[in-house]
Amino acid sequence: EFDQTGRPLLVSGTNSDITERKRMEETLRENEAFLRSLFSATPAGVGMLRDRLFLAMNTALCRITGYSEKDLLGRSTRTLYPDEKEFNRVGRMLYTQMEQEGLGVIETRFRRKDGTIIDVLLCLSPFDPDNPKAGVCVTVLDISERKRMEKALRESEEKYVRYFNTLVDAAGVTRVSDGRLVEINKSCVELFGYTNEEVVGKTTTEIGIWISQEERDRWMQPLRDHPGGRQAEAYLKKRDGSPVVAILSVTPFQQDGETYLFFACKDITDRKKAEEDLRRLRKYLENIINSMPSVLVGVDQEGRVTQWNRQAAHQTGVSEENAFGKNLEDVFPALGKEIEKIRSAIRDRTAKRGIRKTYQVGGEMRHEDLTIYPLVTNGVEGAVIRMDDVTERVRLEEMMIQSEKMLSVGGLAACMAHEINNPLGGMIQTVSVLRDRLIGDLDANKRAADQCGVLLEKIHSYMKLRGIPQMLDTVRDSGKRAATIVQNMLSFARKSESSFSSCSLAELLDHTLSLAATDYDLKRKHDFREIEIIREYSEDLPIVPCESQKIQQVILNLLKNASEAMREAQERGQMTASPRIVLRTMREDEAVRIEVEDNGPGMDERVQKRVFEPFFTTKPVGQGTGLGLSVSYFIITENHGGSMSVESQPGEGARFIIRLPLRGTKHHVSRRTDSSDPR
């Protein structure tokens, strides 16, 4: 009740305990504060929607979109989409997913307040699954950076694939754990002939690209010892089995906790073949240069050696290694004297030819021709010097001159022999007639004695007392001997057809001795007839097929050599015994053996080895050509198919042995040797 003033007169009421409610309200407030704090603090953007209108949003959503809470509160999510089409697409997909799965997730794009477009991931969940219209919670994640990184990664991968497949060298990737191929590029496919599908997942051993297991182990072992990578030559093979020489390089790298090997394979098969061909050509040219009998030396502009062949090393005793890069004057003084001519040839780029160098070595004159060729190669100027030993050629030229002279003398001697032979024949005939008329019992002698009143018997007695018959016999025999000598000389010098014929060696040797008997030297008081000749001819020796004149030439040369050697030994006081030559013949199976033995000074082993060489002689310069024995050797071995050798000891004389076959002689064809012979 209340009084007139409105003041209560009586108060009545009930009392209820609301402590629990207050506690629950407090808890609710605390939970709401916690959720509001969590809602505001989460880094992901979160918004509350109903009918696609914003009821609330957190700070992160405002940061992501660039809009303030005031800007978005109560507004449609359409504000955040770049266009109507995207807004509708996202809405349809999200609500369809929620109806089917109770949750909607989709990637889309938002337009920020400043107009920039960002990539976002939306996740919608309903407040009440049984009543989707009650509202939904949307979580917004800004995935622009992730999308950018994915794009960059994708572009990087595309670039890697593009570069990987455009590499000129074959390349690929293998896993270290199992050694299996992960990927190969197009060049690898083209080089080895395998497709990517055929090799991926297999090891190189399973594919069989190594030329052998030994080669694989040889190449891989250093890589196992030093896992940091390797580059070296490898010998591989293609799918068809053809070999490949390659520079194989391997580099390890890590990815996703796995170790891989990146390998690059550069095909150098053609290069190796070219190098081998070049090496073979260089060796071939080097062999040609070293096989040349000429000295060949290359120098640069400064006169330093750039080329040095074997003949240069032999002549100087300086090896190529020691000569290379040295001054020419230091390693080859004989050529160093021509350094000004060499520099002139380089400067003028003109070859210098016909430079003759003559010097004496061991008492023997040597002749060499020098030619200098200017050389320009790879921009480097220099010269090539060629030096040829022309000593033998000079000797041959001198011999040709001497031969021409001797040919002329021989022709004159033959003519003189003919002229001598005619009066000699008259003289012999006259002596015979004179003997008959003086001491013969001819009727004409008796009549002439009767007419003179002289008894023929008295005349004969007088002749005998005065030794006239013996004198006449001596004159006649001397004339005959002179005629025989002239006849032998004419027969030896006569240019006629030379052919094989059957000869008696005894007669051939006797004729040769008759010719040798004409060898005498008034100045040195030498006469071949003073040499004791011993004939040891075999009696059962058959007739020998040979060219008699050439065999006579060989025997005569041996006789004269023996005679001269013994005469020189006597003059030097090296020979006390009387000079003696033994001519010996005998049969040996199907051959005959001729020996010409003397008791002269003999010869040492060095001379024996060279005695049949052309131009080799032990005589002083100008007294011997060195061709006699070499020509004799040629006649016996080449023309007659026989053999010729020498046996000798110093101080014990020399024995030359000739063997002539009795049948099967190499040459049986007549050959002309007159002036029309082109030889």
Side-chain angles (χ1 to χ4, degrees):
E1 294 182 6
F2 296 90
D3 60 11
Q4 291 180 348
T5 62
R7 295 177 65 185
L9 296 177
L10 179 66
V11 178
S12 63
T14 62
N15 184 21
S16 299
D17 186 0
I18 61 172
T19 303
E20 184 63 24
R21 189 185 74 183
K22 283 292 190 178
R23 188 182 63 77
M24 291 180 65
E25 288 176 352
E26 183 64 25
T27 300
L28 180 60
R29 279 194 302 273
E30 289 177 357
N31 289 338
E32 286 179 352
F34 175 75
L35 290 174
R36 189 176 292 110
S37 175
L38 183 63
F39 179 69
S40 299
T42 182
V46 180
M48 304 299 178
L49 304 177
R50 182 180 294 153
D51 295 333
R52 303 185 75 173
L53 298 177
F54 280 104
L55 298 178
M57 72 287 299
N58 68 351
T59 305
L61 182 60
C62 294
R63 186 182 67 252
I64 291 171
T65 62
Y67 290 96
S68 65
E69 184 177 352
K70 182 179 179 181
D71 292 334
L72 295 178
L73 196 59
R75 296 185 65 177
S76 170
T77 56
R78 169 68 182 82
T79 306
L80 300 178
Y81 287 94
D83 52 51
E84 189 73 23
K85 182 178 179 181
E86 183 66 11
F87 171 71
N88 294 329
R89 183 187 73 84
V90 173
R92 286 193 304 270
M93 292 186 67
L94 285 174
Y95 285 102
T96 299
Q97 290 180 16
M98 284 194 300
E99 288 176 357
Q100 295 175 354
E101 304 174 9
L103 184 70
V105 180
I106 191 172
E107 283 188 14
T108 185
R109 293 180 299 165
F110 279 177
R111 184 191 299 275
R112 288 169 51 87
K113 187 176 181 179
D114 60 7
T116 58
I117 305 297
I118 62 173
D119 294 293
V120 294
L121 179 66
L122 302 182
C123 180
L124 269 68
S125 59
F127 293 155
D128 183 357
D130 297 329
N131 184 16
K133 293 184 178 182
V136 294
C137 175
V138 59
T139 302
V140 180
L141 295 176
D142 185 356
I143 60 172
S144 298
E145 183 63 21
R146 192 191 76 184
K147 296 289 283 186
R148 187 189 65 78
M149 292 180 65
E150 288 177 352
K151 181 181 179 183
L153 180 60
R154 186 168 56 253
E155 290 176 350
S156 177
E157 289 178 349
E158 291 174 354
K159 184 183 294 184
Y160 161 75
V161 171
R162 185 166 61 252
Y163 288 166
F164 184 65
N165 283 321
T166 55
L167 283 174
V168 176
D169 297 336
V173 177
T174 61
R175 272 191 304 271
V176 172
S177 59
D178 56 11
R180 299 190 180 278
L181 286 162
V182 177
E183 187 179 9
I184 61 173
N185 68 349
K186 291 181 179 179
S187 296
C188 194
V189 172
E190 293 172 357
L191 176 59
F192 292 101
Y194 296 98
T195 65
N196 198 72
E197 293 75 15
E198 289 175 321
V199 300
V200 169
K202 297 181 180 179
T203 65
T204 55
T205 302
E206 291 173 343
I207 299 168
I209 66 170
W210 294 96
I211 198 128
S212 65
Q213 185 65 31
E214 292 77 11
E215 173 63 13
R216 179 187 180 279
D217 294 340
R218 180 195 71 81
W219 202 96
M220 294 296 292
Q221 187 58 49
L223 185 62
R224 298 189 189 100
D225 298 338
H226 304 283
R230 185 171 188 243
Q231 176 174 311
E233 281 188 10
Y235 294 86
L236 311 172
K237 63 179 178 179
K238 299 180 182 180
R239 184 173 190 169
D240 60 7
S242 56
V244 175
V245 184
I247 296 294
L248 182 60
S249 58
V250 173
T251 306
F253 67 94
Q254 298 282 337
Q255 182 176 323
D256 300 330
E258 184 86 38
T259 302
Y260 296 88
L261 291 178
F262 174 83
F263 66 84
C265 185
K266 184 177 183 63
D267 184 6
I268 60 169
T269 306
D270 292 340
R271 190 187 80 186
K272 290 291 287 186
K273 182 179 181 300
E275 288 176 354
E276 183 63 29
D277 290 343
L278 181 61
R279 186 162 47 249
R280 191 180 298 109
L281 177 60
R282 186 176 298 166
K283 189 66 177 178
Y284 177 68
L285 293 176
E286 182 181 341
N287 289 337
I288 290 176
I289 292 173
N290 284 328
S291 299
M292 292 178 64
S294 307
V295 170
L296 206 64
V297 177
V299 295
D300 60 15
Q301 285 182 298
E302 304 301 324
R304 291 187 295 265
V305 174
T306 59
Q307 178 66 43
W308 191 264
N309 75 340
R310 190 174 298 158
Q311 188 64 22
H314 173 73
Q315 187 155 334
T316 61
V318 180
S319 66
E320 182 181 2
E321 294 77 12
N322 294 331
F324 193 81
K326 302 291 180 58
N327 290 326
L328 184 63
E329 299 96 321
D330 297 334
V331 293
F332 209 141
L335 286 182
K337 296 177 182 179
E338 309 296 333
I339 192 65
E340 291 304 321
K341 294 179 181 178
I342 295 171
R343 288 172 178 164
S344 174
I346 297 173
R347 183 175 57 252
D348 301 337
R349 296 190 178 181
T350 304
K352 305 288 185 181
R353 295 182 175 87
I355 304 173
R356 175 65 59 85
K357 295 176 66 63
T358 302
Y359 55 92
Q360 193 169 14
V361 177
E364 180 184 13
M365 294 301 297
R366 307 295 299 179
H367 306 274
E368 291 176 335
D369 280 351
L370 197 65
T371 307
I372 305 170
Y373 300 96
L375 178 66
V376 179
T377 177
N378 297 327
V380 179
E381 294 189 359
V384 176
I385 307 154
R386 174 180 169 181
M387 188 166 70
D388 297 292
D389 187 349
V390 295
T391 303
E392 307 304 336
R393 191 181 75 190
V394 171
R395 287 180 179 176
L396 187 59
E397 291 172 353
E398 293 174 351
M399 284 184 53
M400 290 176 64
I401 295 172
Q402 183 67 18
S403 296
E404 290 294 329
K405 185 189 297 183
M406 293 305 296
L407 187 62
S408 299
V409 172
L412 291 173
C415 292
M416 291 174 63
H418 276 292
E419 295 299 323
I420 292 172
N421 205 34
N422 292 329
L424 192 59
M427 182 184 71
I428 294 172
Q429 184 178 1
T430 302
V431 169
S432 297
V433 172
L434 183 62
R435 189 179 190 285
D436 290 339
R437 290 187 179 186
L438 288 176
I439 59 177
D441 292 331
L442 301 177
D443 292 339
N445 291 348
K446 293 179 180 179
R447 287 194 298 270
D450 292 340
Q451 289 178 1
C452 293
V454 180
L455 293 175
L456 186 59
E457 291 77 8
K458 296 292 184 179
I459 295 175
H460 289 171
S461 297
Y462 172 79
M463 293 293 179
K464 289 178 181 180
L465 289 174
R466 297 296 297 167
I468 299 301
Q470 292 84 357
M471 292 181 183
L472 292 175
D473 289 341
T474 300
V475 172
R476 184 187 60 189
D477 292 342
S478 297
K480 288 182 178 180
R481 182 169 177 270
T484 301
I485 291 172
V486 171
Q487 185 62 34
N488 286 340
M489 186 175 66
L490 287 174
S491 176
F492 180 72
R494 184 178 297 118
K495 294 182 180 180
S496 60
E497 289 192 3
S498 177
S499 62
F500 274 76
S501 60
S502 297
C503 299
S504 169
L505 281 184
E507 294 179 2
L508 185 64
L509 293 178
D510 286 340
H511 279 298
T512 307
L513 284 170
S514 297
L515 279 175
T518 62
D519 180 28
Y520 61 92
D521 190 332
L522 292 176
K523 184 177 180 181
R524 297 191 179 186
K525 298 180 180 180
H526 166 71
D527 190 344
F528 185 85
R529 290 171 295 183
E530 296 178 356
I531 299 174
E532 181 184 3
I533 304 297
I534 300 176
R535 296 173 174 85
E536 296 181 0
Y537 299 160
S538 177
E539 296 181 357
D540 59 347
L541 203 65
I543 299 299
V544 179
C546 65
E547 292 186 70
S548 58
Q549 292 182 0
K550 290 189 175 181
I551 298 300
Q552 194 175 15
Q553 177 183 348
V554 171
I555 301 300
L556 182 61
N557 183 66
L558 294 177
L559 293 173
K560 294 190 67 174
N561 283 351
S563 172
E564 291 174 359
M566 290 186 291
R567 181 194 65 201
E568 291 173 0
Q570 284 179 320
E571 291 175 352
R572 292 193 299 265
Q574 298 175 347
M575 187 173 175
T576 57
S578 299
R580 181 184 69 251
I581 294 177
V582 179
L583 285 176
R584 190 179 292 115
T585 63
M586 64 191 74
R587 180 164 181 170
E588 286 188 350
D589 297 329
E590 295 301 318
V592 293
R593 171 171 172 153
I594 306 171
E595 293 183 3
V596 179
E597 180 180 344
D598 64 68
N599 63 343
M603 61 186 78
D604 58 26
E605 185 178 356
R606 181 188 67 86
V607 175
Q608 288 184 62
K609 289 181 178 179
R610 302 189 59 192
V611 72
F612 296 116
E613 291 182 10
F615 307 111
F616 176 77
T617 179
T618 58
K619 297 177 182 178
V621 178
Q623 294 187 18
T625 63
L627 281 177
L629 286 176
S630 65
V631 171
S632 299
Y633 186 86
F634 180 85
I635 290 173
I636 298 300
T637 59
E638 294 297 322
N639 290 5
H640 290 80
S643 65
M644 186 173 182
S645 59
V646 62
E647 296 176 357
S648 179
Q649 292 290 335
E652 297 182 8
R655 179 191 297 126
F656 284 87
I657 303 169
I658 298 171
R659 292 179 177 86
L660 295 175
L662 289 174
R663 62 173 61 93
T665 306
K666 191 173 178 181
H667 302 288
H668 288 272
V669 181
S670 297
R671 294 188 298 274
R672 294 190 60 84
T673 57
D674 57 19
S675 58
S676 64
D677 192 334
R679 293 175 294 175

